[in-house]
């Protein structure tokens, strides 16, 4: 059981790193074909895998008070950070007017409102057999693309498009994960990553927006029957990449393993740094392969910092409405101060 905990914490930390790295790469996809291909590969699996793992742990939906619990965990932080980001963008972009639109989530905040909706949808879908529920979920994800008004509003598009992955995660068992992580599958997973990268490399016209799930078909092409099959092909691609990723996630404990429990902090806080980066002249420094490696290192450092106990302690009141982390930090710092004070007095 302990190893399984290590496994999922490792998976979540690696995924949140790719979220940060992918957002930093966004500034360069129009100018660098190689970066654009890497960017598309990342987007085939990082959020789909996060969503599937979230579904895997969504087991308590039938308990009393569950809806209120997830509303406090997801919807209250959503409104708080929607306000904070509105203020942040007002000053960052020197806007002439200050507006708050709680129904159109800022940037990455869509995940909070969609995750809340997925948990609610699970109450009904869990009553269906796995094949029936998944068939309906995929049908909704494919069909919603024809409804032009469903887009970023209340994150409705992503909610329907990504729900099949959440539901699939719910139906997965520990035995499924154990089978998936067999050593014999790892070579196949690495081959999958290589083939997908080459596929994007030799087909540069593939639009990355299909990987976002945020827009109706009419905003990406003339909506037709073929649009549904295009989305279906991206579903299959994401499933291949998600399972390939989960196959190669390490099971042992590493220096970053415990930080995998703090991914929500990274998700909510990294946007401030990424947006400032995009508006600064610092990004002009990154124009060669070796410097993009440096950018990956910066993404790793940022992920480590924002998932650290110090960042979590200061952000916990805004995200979890608790002060337990900062209280523990104060106690720890106080103990260290007292120790060194006694040591100095004894000399």
């Amino acid at each position: 059981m302990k190893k399984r905990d290590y496994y999922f914490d490792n998976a979540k930390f690696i995924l949140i790193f790719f979220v940060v790295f992918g957002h930093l790469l966004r500034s360069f996809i129009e100018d660098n074909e190689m970066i654009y291909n890497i960017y598309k590969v990342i987007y085939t699996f990082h959020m789909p895998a996060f969503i599937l793992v979230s579904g895997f742990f969504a087991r308590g939906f039938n308990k009393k008070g569950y809806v209120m619990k997830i509303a406090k965990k997801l919807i209250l932080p959503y409104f708080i950070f929607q306000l904070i980001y509105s203020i942040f963008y007002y000053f960052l972009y020197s806007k002439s007017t200050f507006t708050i639109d709680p129904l159109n989530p800022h940037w990455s905040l869509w995940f909070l409102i969609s995750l809340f909706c997925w948990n609610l949808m699970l109450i009904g879908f869990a009553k269906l057999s796995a094949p029936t529920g998944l068939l309906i979920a995929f049908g909704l994800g494919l069909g919603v693309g024809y409804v032009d008004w469903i887009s970023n509003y209340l994150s409705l598009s992503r909610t329907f498009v990504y729900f099949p992955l959440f539901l699939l995660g719910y139906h997965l068992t520990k035995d499924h994960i154990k089978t998936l992580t067999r050593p014999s599958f790892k070579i196949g997973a690495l081959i999958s990553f290589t083939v997908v990268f080459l596929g994007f490399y030799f087909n540069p016209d593939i639009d990355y927006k299909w990987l976002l799930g945020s827009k109706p078909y009419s905003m990406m092409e003339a909506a037709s029957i073929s649009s549904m099959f295009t989305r279906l092909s991206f579903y299959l691609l994401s499933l291949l990449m998600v399972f390939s990723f989960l196959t190669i996630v390490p099971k042992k404990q590493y220096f970053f393993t415990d930080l995998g429990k703090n991914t929500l902090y990274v998700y909510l806080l990294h946007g401030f740094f990424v947006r400032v980066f995009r508006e600064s002249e610092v990004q002009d420094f990154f124009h060669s392969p070796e410097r993009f490696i440096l950018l990956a290192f910066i993404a790793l450092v940022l992920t480590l910092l924002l998932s650290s106990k110090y960042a979590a302690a200061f952000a916990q009141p805004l995200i979890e409405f608790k002060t337990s982390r900062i209280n523990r930090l104060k106690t720890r710092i106080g103990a260290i101060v007292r120790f060194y004070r006694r040591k100095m007095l004894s000399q």
Side-chain angles (χ1 to χ4, degrees), residues 247-267:
T247 296
I248 60 178
V249 170
K251 297 180 180 180
K252 296 180 180 179
Q253 185 177 24
Y254 297 92
F255 71 94
F256 58 81
T257 300
D258 287 342
L259 300 180
K261 300 173 183 177
N262 297 333
T263 53
L264 183 59
Y265 291 91
V266 184
Y267 193 82

Side-chain angles (χ1 to χ4, degrees), residues 220-232:
M220 292 179 287
E221 63 179 25
S224 63
I225 295 296
S226 65
S227 302
M228 180 175 62
F229 289 100
T230 300
R231 175 163 285 173
L232 179 61

Side-chain angles (χ1 to χ4, degrees), residues 191-204:
I191 291 174
S192 295
F193 272 88
T194 303
V195 170
V196 170
F197 175 81
L198 292 174
F200 284 131
Y201 180 81
F202 289 110
N203 296 277

Side-chain angles (χ1 to χ4, degrees), residues 82 95 141 147 173 192 217 240 265 282 333:
Q82 186 76 351
K95 294 184 177 182
V147 185
T173 65
S192 295
Y217 299 143
L240 170 66
Y265 291 91
V282 176
I333 292 173

Side-chain angles (χ1 to χ4, degrees), residues 271-337:
F272 299 107
F273 298 90
V274 173
R275 288 295 188 178
V276 170
F277 172 78
R278 291 182 182 181
E279 293 300 309
S280 71
E281 296 180 358
V282 176
Q283 64 180 353
D284 297 336
F285 175 78
F286 298 94
H287 52 72
S288 59
E290 61 271 15
R291 292 185 179 180
F292 284 113
I293 294 174
L294 175 60
L295 191 65
F297 176 74
I298 291 172
L300 177 59
V301 171
L302 184 59
T303 304
L304 289 169
L305 289 174
L306 295 181
S307 59
S308 70
K309 58 186 177 183
Y310 303 105
F314 287 105
Q316 188 189 31
L318 284 175
I319 297 174
E320 296 185 54
F321 313 105
K322 299 176 182 178
T323 59
S324 57
R325 289 176 182 267
I326 199 165
N327 289 336
R328 286 198 299 268
L329 187 60
K330 287 179 180 178
T331 302
R332 191 176 295 116
I333 292 173
I336 294 172
V337 170

